[in-house]
Amino acid sequence: GPQGRHPRRGHPRGRCQAAGLTTAVAYLGIDVGTSATKAVVIDTDGRVLARSRVCHPSARGVGPGRADPTAWRSSITAAVAQLGSYAAGVAGIGLDTHCPTALLLDAAGRPLAAGVTWDHPGLAGPTAELIATLSADERRLTGNHLMPATAMGAAYRLFQQVEPEALSTATT
């Protein structure tokens, strides 16, 4: 496309460039995947300025349908640190995760127990119980086909069984 225009969109490349400013705008994207956290810094044109990947193999090593949120936190911190100065002063952050996970947190946001993921073998029963309490209209209003992956509120009932002490002290 013409000089100074985005090749696919045809509009000026970046707000800062279009306004004649010298400060570049950048965005940080973080993807917490099943086995690793990936991070990327892009500019307003979508050009990758820096990227990183940090594995978190221990995240799912705490039992079937459980996840260790401290492994995720560590991999996010390390992935962002690997981006160096590119991550400083970004205009926005986008975060994506690989699966629904219910966490019990204290008042400071620290995890109190391993999270319950959508595939926990004990989640089917509480999910069915939760769904049974809803009318057809209420189920329709959720906008989702209700199952363990979309009805994570049922994890509260599972936490009552598997993590009663952590649940009693959780604030979030």
Side-chain angles (χ1 to χ4, degrees):
Q3 182 82 16
R5 299 255 176 212
H6 189 283
R8 289 182 303 277
R9 296 186 196 103
H11 57 74
R13 285 194 176 270
R15 285 187 215 116
C16 292
Q17 288 176 347
L21 302 174
T22 58
T23 304
V25 175
Y27 302 95
L28 170 61
I30 301 170
D31 175 21
V32 181
T34 304
S35 61
T37 293
K38 285 79 66 187
V40 63
V41 176
I42 61 169
D43 66 12
T44 56
D45 295 329
R47 279 190 303 255
V48 174
L49 303 176
R51 70 175 61 198
S52 64
R53 183 177 190 278
V54 175
C55 294
H56 47 237
S58 64
R60 291 298 296 253
V62 292
R66 301 301 297 266
D68 177 5
T70 60
W72 290 337
R73 180 179 290 186
S74 296
S75 69
I76 292 168
T77 301
V80 172
Q82 285 183 12
L83 298 172
S85 62
Y86 288 102
V90 294
I93 300 172
L95 176 68
D96 178 50
T97 61
H98 61 89
C99 71
T101 302
L103 297 173
L104 298 173
L105 305 175
D106 67 12
R110 289 182 300 262
L112 297 169
V116 169
T117 60
W118 68 274
D119 59 349
H120 190 284
L123 196 54
T127 300
E129 292 169 11
L130 175 65
I131 293 169
T133 67
L134 302 173
S135 70
D137 286 339
E138 290 169 327
R139 288 191 301 272
R140 191 179 72 256
L141 286 172
T142 68
N144 284 316
H145 170 73
L146 294 176
M147 58 186 185
T150 60
M152 286 301 293
Y156 178 82
R157 292 180 180 190
L158 182 60
F159 276 131
Q160 289 174 318
Q161 298 168 19
V162 299
E163 297 287 355
E165 187 175 318
L167 182 61
S168 71
T169 60
T171 58
T172 302

